[in-house]
Amino acid sequence: MNERLAQIINQFTDPSAQKVLVVGDLTLDEFVTGGVERLSREAPVLIIRHEETRQVPGGAANALANLASLGVSTIAVGVVGEDLQGAALRRALIKAGVDTAGLVVDIERPTVTKTRIAAHARQSVTQQIVRIDRKSDAPLNADIEAQLITVIQQWLPQVAMVICSDYMEGVLTPAVIAVCLEHPCVVVDTHVNLYRYQGAALFTPNVPEAEQAAGIAIVDESSVRQAGEILLAQTQAQAILITRGELGMSLFLKTGEQFDIPAFNRTQVFDVTGAGDTVVAGWTAARLSGATLYEAIIIGNLAASIVVRQFGTSTTSPAELLEHLEQLAWTPDPTIS
Protein backbone atom coordinates (compact mmCIF):
# COMPACT_ATOMS: atom_id res chain seq x y z
CA MET A 1 0.00 0.00 0.00
CA ASN A 2 2.83 2.41 0.82
CA GLU A 3 4.27 1.76 -2.64
CA ARG A 4 0.92 2.84 -4.07
CA LEU A 5 0.99 6.04 -1.96
CA ALA A 6 4.55 6.76 -3.14
CA GLN A 7 3.38 6.34 -6.75
CA ILE A 8 0.62 8.90 -6.17
CA ILE A 9 3.00 11.40 -4.57
CA ASN A 10 5.46 11.02 -7.44
CA GLN A 11 2.70 12.14 -9.81
CA PHE A 12 2.15 15.45 -7.98
CA THR A 13 4.57 17.33 -10.21
CA ASP A 14 3.09 16.03 -13.47
CA PRO A 15 2.92 19.15 -15.71
CA SER A 16 -0.23 17.79 -17.37
CA ALA A 17 -2.15 17.96 -14.07
CA GLN A 18 -5.23 20.15 -14.02
CA LYS A 19 -5.56 23.51 -12.29
CA VAL A 20 -7.17 24.33 -8.95
CA LEU A 21 -8.95 27.59 -8.14
CA VAL A 22 -8.66 28.79 -4.53
CA VAL A 23 -11.22 31.41 -3.53
CA GLY A 24 -11.01 32.90 -0.06
CA ASP A 25 -9.66 35.20 2.59
CA LEU A 26 -6.03 35.90 1.78
CA THR A 27 -3.85 36.74 4.76
CA LEU A 28 -0.28 37.84 5.26
CA ASP A 29 1.19 35.99 8.24
CA GLU A 30 4.00 37.99 9.80
CA PHE A 31 6.32 36.46 12.40
CA VAL A 32 8.49 38.82 14.45
CA THR A 33 10.95 36.99 16.67
CA GLY A 34 13.64 38.02 19.10
CA GLY A 35 15.41 37.31 22.35
CA VAL A 36 14.20 38.46 25.74
CA GLU A 37 16.64 40.92 27.34
CA ARG A 38 14.92 42.15 30.50
CA LEU A 39 11.76 43.71 31.93
CA SER A 40 11.02 47.24 30.85
CA ARG A 41 11.25 50.09 33.37
CA GLU A 42 8.34 51.80 31.61
CA ALA A 43 5.80 49.02 32.13
CA PRO A 44 5.63 45.39 33.31
CA VAL A 45 6.49 44.04 29.86
CA LEU A 46 9.39 42.21 28.27
CA ILE A 47 11.98 44.00 26.17
CA ILE A 48 12.74 41.86 23.12
CA ARG A 49 15.75 42.41 20.90
CA HIS A 50 14.56 41.93 17.32
CA GLU A 51 16.20 39.07 15.40
CA GLU A 52 13.99 38.32 12.42
CA THR A 53 10.79 39.32 10.63
CA ARG A 54 9.32 36.72 8.33
CA GLN A 55 6.31 37.27 6.06
CA VAL A 56 4.54 34.25 4.56
CA PRO A 57 1.17 33.49 2.94
CA GLY A 58 -1.58 32.80 5.48
CA GLY A 59 -5.28 31.96 5.48
CA ALA A 60 -6.41 31.08 1.96
CA ALA A 61 -2.98 32.16 0.75
CA ASN A 62 -1.46 29.39 2.87
CA ALA A 63 -3.70 26.88 1.11
CA LEU A 64 -2.41 28.25 -2.19
CA ALA A 65 1.22 28.05 -1.08
CA ASN A 66 0.74 24.47 0.14
CA LEU A 67 -0.82 23.40 -3.14
CA ALA A 68 1.93 25.05 -5.16
CA SER A 69 4.66 23.44 -3.01
CA LEU A 70 3.12 20.05 -3.81
CA GLY A 71 3.30 20.76 -7.54
CA VAL A 72 -0.36 21.70 -8.10
CA SER A 73 -1.08 24.49 -10.59
CA THR A 74 -3.07 27.03 -8.57
CA ILE A 75 -4.97 30.26 -9.23
CA ALA A 76 -5.64 32.73 -6.41
CA VAL A 77 -8.92 34.64 -6.15
CA GLY A 78 -9.27 37.06 -3.27
CA VAL A 79 -8.90 40.63 -2.07
CA VAL A 80 -5.81 42.56 -1.02
CA GLY A 81 -5.40 46.17 -0.02
CA GLU A 82 -3.37 48.81 -1.80
CA ASP A 83 -0.67 48.65 0.86
CA LEU A 84 2.76 47.27 1.67
CA GLN A 85 1.25 44.11 3.12
CA GLY A 86 -0.70 43.43 -0.07
CA ALA A 87 2.42 43.89 -2.17
CA ALA A 88 4.36 41.55 0.14
CA LEU A 89 1.64 38.91 -0.07
CA ARG A 90 1.49 39.11 -3.86
CA ARG A 91 5.29 38.71 -4.05
CA ALA A 92 5.20 35.72 -1.71
CA LEU A 93 2.52 33.99 -3.78
CA ILE A 94 4.35 34.63 -7.05
CA LYS A 95 7.55 33.28 -5.49
CA ALA A 96 5.64 30.16 -4.45
CA GLY A 97 4.49 29.67 -8.05
CA VAL A 98 0.87 30.78 -7.65
CA ASP A 99 -1.04 32.56 -10.44
CA THR A 100 -2.08 35.91 -8.89
CA ALA A 101 -3.99 37.35 -11.85
CA GLY A 102 -7.25 36.78 -9.95
CA LEU A 103 -6.36 39.07 -7.04
CA VAL A 104 -8.66 42.08 -6.68
CA VAL A 105 -7.32 45.27 -5.07
CA ASP A 106 -9.63 47.14 -2.71
CA ILE A 107 -8.26 50.59 -1.88
CA GLU A 108 -10.67 50.91 1.05
CA ARG A 109 -9.63 47.73 2.89
CA PRO A 110 -6.28 46.80 4.40
CA THR A 111 -4.71 43.49 3.48
CA VAL A 112 -5.60 41.09 6.28
CA THR A 113 -2.39 40.77 8.28
CA LYS A 114 -1.71 38.72 11.40
CA THR A 115 1.50 39.71 13.16
CA ARG A 116 2.72 37.23 15.75
CA ILE A 117 5.32 38.44 18.23
CA ALA A 118 7.41 35.58 19.58
CA ALA A 119 10.45 35.47 21.80
CA HIS A 120 12.86 33.16 23.54
CA ALA A 121 15.14 33.32 26.53
CA ARG A 122 18.65 31.91 26.42
CA GLN A 123 18.59 28.15 25.78
CA SER A 124 14.80 28.03 25.50
CA VAL A 125 12.28 27.47 22.71
CA THR A 126 10.61 30.36 20.90
CA GLN A 127 7.08 31.04 22.13
CA GLN A 128 4.35 33.33 20.83
CA ILE A 129 3.60 36.25 23.17
CA VAL A 130 0.93 38.27 21.38
CA ARG A 131 -0.80 38.55 17.99
CA ILE A 132 -1.79 41.80 16.29
CA ASP A 133 -4.48 41.66 13.59
CA ARG A 134 -4.96 44.20 10.83
CA LYS A 135 -8.26 43.88 8.95
CA SER A 136 -11.63 45.45 8.15
CA ASP A 137 -15.02 44.31 9.47
CA ALA A 138 -16.93 46.31 6.84
CA PRO A 139 -18.96 44.31 4.26
CA LEU A 140 -17.33 43.80 0.89
CA ASN A 141 -17.95 46.63 -1.56
CA ALA A 142 -20.47 45.66 -4.29
CA ASP A 143 -18.03 46.56 -7.07
CA ILE A 144 -15.28 44.41 -5.53
CA GLU A 145 -17.73 41.54 -5.14
CA ALA A 146 -18.70 41.86 -8.82
CA GLN A 147 -15.03 41.75 -9.84
CA LEU A 148 -14.50 38.56 -7.82
CA ILE A 149 -17.53 36.91 -9.41
CA THR A 150 -16.32 37.81 -12.90
CA VAL A 151 -12.89 36.30 -12.24
CA ILE A 152 -14.39 33.10 -10.82
CA GLN A 153 -16.76 32.69 -13.77
CA GLN A 154 -13.85 33.08 -16.17
CA TRP A 155 -11.87 30.31 -14.46
CA LEU A 156 -14.59 27.76 -13.62
CA PRO A 157 -14.53 25.95 -17.00
CA GLN A 158 -10.74 25.65 -16.83
CA VAL A 159 -10.18 24.12 -13.38
CA ALA A 160 -10.60 20.61 -12.01
CA MET A 161 -11.50 21.73 -8.52
CA VAL A 162 -12.51 24.81 -6.52
CA ILE A 163 -11.40 25.28 -2.92
CA CYS A 164 -13.31 27.77 -0.76
CA SER A 165 -11.01 28.81 2.07
CA ASP A 166 -13.28 30.78 4.39
CA TYR A 167 -11.72 32.55 7.37
CA MET A 168 -14.77 34.80 7.81
CA GLU A 169 -12.96 37.94 6.61
CA GLY A 170 -15.72 38.90 4.14
CA VAL A 171 -14.62 37.62 0.72
CA LEU A 172 -16.97 34.62 0.56
CA THR A 173 -20.28 36.44 0.38
CA PRO A 174 -23.50 34.56 -0.53
CA ALA A 175 -23.13 35.67 -4.16
CA VAL A 176 -19.47 34.59 -4.35
CA ILE A 177 -20.32 31.23 -2.74
CA ALA A 178 -23.17 30.69 -5.21
CA VAL A 179 -20.94 31.12 -8.24
CA CYS A 180 -18.28 28.83 -6.74
CA LEU A 181 -20.92 26.12 -6.24
CA GLU A 182 -21.60 26.10 -9.98
CA HIS A 183 -18.50 23.92 -10.23
CA PRO A 184 -19.14 20.17 -9.68
CA CYS A 185 -16.17 19.65 -7.34
CA VAL A 186 -15.95 22.19 -4.51
CA VAL A 187 -13.93 21.64 -1.33
CA VAL A 188 -14.93 23.81 1.64
CA ASP A 189 -12.73 24.77 4.57
CA THR A 190 -14.77 27.15 6.73
CA HIS A 191 -14.83 28.01 10.43
CA VAL A 192 -18.62 28.38 10.82
CA ASN A 193 -21.97 27.96 9.06
CA LEU A 194 -21.21 25.00 6.83
CA TYR A 195 -24.80 25.05 5.55
CA ARG A 196 -23.96 28.14 3.44
CA TYR A 197 -22.10 25.81 1.07
CA GLN A 198 -24.82 23.16 0.75
CA GLY A 199 -24.06 20.77 -2.08
CA ALA A 200 -20.26 21.09 -2.05
CA ALA A 201 -18.30 17.87 -2.53
CA LEU A 202 -16.16 17.88 0.63
CA PHE A 203 -16.10 19.76 3.94
CA THR A 204 -13.08 19.65 6.27
CA PRO A 205 -14.10 20.89 9.75
CA ASN A 206 -11.98 20.35 12.83
CA VAL A 207 -13.60 19.08 16.03
CA PRO A 208 -14.74 22.48 17.45
CA GLU A 209 -16.15 23.47 14.05
CA ALA A 210 -17.91 20.12 13.66
CA GLU A 211 -19.35 20.38 17.18
CA GLN A 212 -20.71 23.84 16.50
CA ALA A 213 -22.23 22.87 13.16
CA ALA A 214 -23.71 19.57 14.36
CA GLY A 215 -24.89 20.92 17.71
CA ILE A 216 -23.37 18.08 19.75
CA ALA A 217 -20.23 17.51 21.81
CA ILE A 218 -17.70 15.14 20.25
CA VAL A 219 -16.33 13.07 23.14
CA ASP A 220 -15.94 9.55 21.74
CA GLU A 221 -16.19 7.44 18.60
CA SER A 222 -19.96 7.26 18.80
CA SER A 223 -20.39 11.02 18.97
CA VAL A 224 -17.90 11.69 16.15
CA ARG A 225 -19.87 9.32 13.94
CA GLN A 226 -23.12 11.02 14.93
CA ALA A 227 -21.60 14.40 14.06
CA GLY A 228 -20.45 13.11 10.69
CA GLU A 229 -23.93 11.85 9.87
CA ILE A 230 -25.55 15.12 10.96
CA LEU A 231 -23.15 17.17 8.83
CA LEU A 232 -23.67 14.97 5.78
CA ALA A 233 -27.42 15.53 6.05
CA GLN A 234 -27.02 19.24 6.78
CA THR A 235 -24.68 19.99 3.87
CA GLN A 236 -25.77 17.34 1.33
CA ALA A 237 -22.06 16.80 0.72
CA GLN A 238 -20.40 13.77 -0.84
CA ALA A 239 -18.01 13.58 2.11
CA ILE A 240 -17.21 15.12 5.50
CA LEU A 241 -13.64 14.97 6.80
CA ILE A 242 -13.37 15.78 10.51
CA THR A 243 -9.78 16.53 11.55
CA ARG A 244 -9.30 15.44 15.17
CA GLY A 245 -5.82 16.59 16.17
CA GLU A 246 -3.97 13.92 18.15
CA LEU A 247 -6.79 11.45 17.35
CA GLY A 248 -6.21 11.70 13.60
CA MET A 249 -9.03 12.10 11.07
CA SER A 250 -12.43 10.58 10.31
CA LEU A 251 -13.92 10.59 6.81
CA PHE A 252 -17.66 10.08 6.37
CA LEU A 253 -19.15 9.36 2.95
CA LYS A 254 -22.74 9.83 1.87
CA THR A 255 -22.73 6.10 1.04
CA GLY A 256 -22.51 5.40 4.79
CA GLU A 257 -18.85 4.40 4.86
CA GLN A 258 -16.45 5.72 7.52
CA PHE A 259 -12.66 5.74 7.35
CA ASP A 260 -10.52 6.52 10.42
CA ILE A 261 -6.86 7.49 10.13
CA PRO A 262 -4.67 7.87 13.26
CA ALA A 263 -2.42 10.87 13.84
CA PHE A 264 1.02 10.22 12.37
CA ASN A 265 2.79 12.68 14.68
CA ARG A 266 1.65 13.14 18.27
CA THR A 267 4.88 14.21 19.97
CA GLN A 268 6.75 16.62 17.67
CA VAL A 269 4.00 19.24 17.47
CA PHE A 270 5.37 22.78 17.72
CA ASP A 271 2.79 24.86 15.85
CA VAL A 272 -0.56 23.86 14.33
CA THR A 273 -0.96 27.18 12.46
CA GLY A 274 -2.23 26.41 8.95
CA ALA A 275 -2.25 22.62 9.42
CA GLY A 276 -5.83 22.43 8.11
CA ASP A 277 -4.77 24.15 4.89
CA THR A 278 -2.04 21.54 4.50
CA VAL A 279 -4.54 18.70 4.92
CA VAL A 280 -6.69 20.15 2.15
CA ALA A 281 -3.66 20.68 -0.11
CA GLY A 282 -2.40 17.13 0.39
CA TRP A 283 -5.86 15.70 -0.18
CA THR A 284 -6.34 17.79 -3.34
CA ALA A 285 -2.97 16.94 -4.84
CA ALA A 286 -3.59 13.26 -4.19
CA ARG A 287 -7.08 13.27 -5.73
CA LEU A 288 -5.78 15.06 -8.82
CA SER A 289 -3.14 12.33 -9.10
CA GLY A 290 -5.72 9.54 -9.10
CA ALA A 291 -5.90 8.70 -5.39
CA THR A 292 -9.04 7.22 -3.85
CA LEU A 293 -10.71 9.16 -1.02
CA TYR A 294 -9.04 6.83 1.49
CA GLU A 295 -5.59 7.25 -0.06
CA ALA A 296 -6.06 11.01 -0.28
CA ILE A 297 -6.82 11.48 3.42
CA ILE A 298 -3.76 9.41 4.33
CA ILE A 299 -1.59 11.73 2.24
CA GLY A 300 -3.32 14.83 3.63
CA ASN A 301 -2.74 13.53 7.15
CA LEU A 302 0.92 12.81 6.39
CA ALA A 303 1.41 16.34 5.01
CA ALA A 304 -0.08 17.91 8.14
CA SER A 305 2.12 15.75 10.39
CA ILE A 306 5.16 17.35 8.73
CA VAL A 307 4.23 21.05 8.89
CA VAL A 308 3.26 20.99 12.60
CA ARG A 309 6.88 20.19 13.41
CA GLN A 310 7.86 23.71 12.36
CA PHE A 311 7.23 27.08 14.01
CA GLY A 312 4.88 29.34 12.05
CA THR A 313 2.90 28.85 8.85
CA SER A 314 4.78 26.46 6.59
CA THR A 315 4.47 24.08 3.65
CA THR A 316 5.81 20.69 2.65
CA SER A 317 6.94 19.09 -0.61
CA PRO A 318 6.61 15.78 -2.47
CA ALA A 319 10.21 14.93 -1.48
CA GLU A 320 9.41 15.44 2.21
CA LEU A 321 6.24 13.41 1.89
CA LEU A 322 8.16 10.51 0.37
CA GLU A 323 10.83 10.72 3.08
CA HIS A 324 8.27 10.62 5.89
CA LEU A 325 6.25 7.92 4.11
CA GLU A 326 9.30 5.64 4.28
CA GLN A 327 9.50 6.24 8.04
CA LEU A 328 5.78 5.70 8.64
CA ALA A 329 5.20 2.80 11.02
CA TRP A 330 1.45 2.67 10.42
CA THR A 331 0.21 0.53 7.53
CA PRO A 332 -2.97 1.42 5.63
CA ASP A 333 -5.72 -1.17 5.36
CA PRO A 334 -5.05 -2.89 2.00
CA THR A 335 -8.68 -4.04 1.75
CA ILE A 336 -10.00 -0.46 1.48
CA SER A 337 -10.09 0.97 -2.04
Side-chain angles (χ1 to χ4, degrees), residues 184-185 199-202 232 235-240 252-255 293:
C185 186
L202 173 72
L232 281 171
T235 62
Q236 296 297 300
Q238 296 175 23
I240 297 287
F252 302 90
L253 305 184
K254 67 177 182 180
T255 57
L293 288 169

Side-chain angles (χ1 to χ4, degrees), residues 125-192:
V125 297
T126 300
Q127 299 184 36
Q128 185 174 319
I129 297 172
V130 67
R131 194 180 88 181
I132 303 169
D133 287 4
R134 168 190 169 96
K135 61 180 183 177
S136 171
D137 292 327
L140 203 64
N141 178 282
D143 179 61
I144 299 298
E145 181 185 60
Q147 291 183 55
L148 289 171
I149 290 172
T150 298
V151 171
I152 296 167
Q153 289 174 331
Q154 289 172 346
W155 277 108
L156 282 186
Q158 305 177 51
V159 298
M161 196 177 299
V162 175
I163 296 175
C164 293
S165 184
D166 190 349
Y167 282 77
M168 304 303 293
E169 300 292 355
V171 166
L172 284 153
T173 65
V176 170
I177 292 172
V179 72
C180 289
L181 290 175
E182 292 176 9
H183 196 279
C185 186
V186 178
V187 177
V188 176
D189 185 9
T190 181
H191 289 280
V192 296

